[in-house]
Amino acid sequence: MKSLIRTIAAVTLAGVLLSGCGGNRSEDPKAKYIFLFIGDGMGVSQVSLTESYMAYKKGNLGGERLTFSSFPYFGMASTYSANRVITCSSAAGTAISCGAKANNESLGISPDGEKLKSITYHLKEDGYRIGIISNAPVNHATPAAFYANSASRYDYYELTRTIPSTGFEFFAGSGFSAYYGNEGKDEDSESYLERNGYQVCFGEEEYLNRPADCRNLVLCQKHHKGQNAKDYLIDGMKKEGVYSLPELLERGMEFIGDSEPFFIMCEGGTIDWAAHENKTMPLINLIREFDAAVAMAYEFYLSHPDETLIVVTADHDTGGVSLGQGIEWLDDRLEWHKIDSAWTAAGGANTLGYEENKALNDAAFIGWTTKQHTGNDVPVYAIGKGAERFCGKMDNTEIKGKILGE
Ligand SMILES: [Zn+2]
């Protein structure tokens, strides 16, 4: 009897340990519909900053949540790369996509030069339709980590030329870095892709007038047609004729459909760029825009709750922001109104110079420790089928296996 009780106790404990925060693994570990959102540079402090601002706008000290920070499962991921404590986006993207560490600046390649396999190729083999979406260029580090193998993240033209061999259904981004290869001597990216079976649409008019039999598409911003995608729209303000991240995702979900399983990676790439410049309000606007894209996936989840997994994470923290710099906890609070009114006066646009921006951050008591990436852990939020796997401390290389249920 005693041993039976011990056995039951052991089994119960094992069950509790295996189920992590309390969820249960179902028999088929993979969700039919998978969304992976990556806020580039979006550390946990950037999320707190955004929620603090949202609370300020309601006249409160706190208590606001984004869609994704309301998800029931939460963990933290370490982000170091194979050769540095502080990762870059290509090594971190590779870790998330391929489940293995890479050196900074390499994409889908191990430190030994071995080609690594992205989760997208595993899922493609299993009949999933694949969408890769970013508001950064289509061939930028994070999106490219989900389709390319390259010793350098900066071989932009070659990364673009990888796209046709993927067979993936949908790509979206601001455009192409290195639109013309070899300083304009090589074929332009649009012609190359279209000659190899991919329709390239710049803006809504081209998208709506795409051929009816189009099965593989690259969607870009209208103003980047025929040129390098080099302007960085980092203020997070909606502009006429420019797709927002939710709009890019909406086109992707429409194009891919839900008759077959799908995997969609959706990156808020310009969050990182705002953080590199320590621009507080653009950063907040971009995280809220990113959250609006997550909210679209959440809507989809509500109609397919047993078949959908949504994971939201970051590749690394950028800027090392803190809520409070040089203030005493007994007598002061963040001066949100100072930063808010100054950005409002500037029309919300990203026009403030370095000194002006720094003075605003200081006046509002918002501290930035660097203009580069940090080695801070990043948050991982999840909801849906298999979401319970994303609890507790993990390494970024574990995310792939957790999505696949391995
Ligand atoms: Zn960066």
Side-chain angles (χ1 to χ4, degrees), residues 40 89 272 276 316 318 373:
D40 200 307
S89 288
D272 179 59
H276 274 291
H316 52 76
T318 303
H373 300 175

Side-chain angles (χ1 to χ4, degrees), residues 91-234:
T94 300
I96 296 170
S97 165
C98 304
K101 295 289 186 193
N103 287 340
N104 280 5
E105 303 202 344
S106 68
L107 269 174
I109 299 274
S110 77
D112 302 333
E114 174 200 344
K115 276 191 178 180
L116 301 168
K117 188 171 178 177
S118 167
I119 187 170
T120 49
Y121 290 100
H122 291 275
L123 291 169
K124 179 81 181 160
E125 285 165 11
D126 286 349
Y128 283 64
R129 291 181 179 167
I130 307 294
I132 295 177
I133 298 168
S134 175
N135 52 9
V138 175
N139 50 5
H140 213 256
T142 306
F146 285 81
Y147 65 84
N149 306 93
S150 172
S152 171
R153 57 179 283 184
Y154 300 113
D155 285 343
Y156 291 123
Y157 187 67
E158 287 309 315
L159 295 173
T160 302
R161 286 160 70 99
T162 306
I163 288 175
S165 66
T166 66
F168 298 162
E169 281 72 14
F170 184 84
F171 290 82
S174 64
F176 304 94
S177 295
Y179 180 75
Y180 296 98
N182 196 16
E183 294 170 351
K185 294 188 200 94
D186 293 333
E187 187 176 16
D188 70 82
S189 295
E190 181 177 6
S191 305
Y192 179 84
L193 292 171
E194 295 205 333
R195 196 164 54 75
N196 286 282
Y198 272 73
Q199 190 69 35
V200 184
C201 296
F202 288 88
E204 190 68 356
E205 203 180 322
E206 290 191 8
Y207 175 71
L208 292 175
N209 293 314
R210 68 190 184 277
D213 61 352
C214 169
R215 294 288 169 267
N216 300 87
L217 183 86
V218 183
L219 181 61
C220 302
Q221 302 286 11
K222 185 180 172 185
H223 62 282
H224 284 143
K225 188 174 177 68
Q227 57 171 268
N228 291 344
K230 57 182 185 300
D231 61 324
Y232 296 167
L233 299 170
I234 66 157

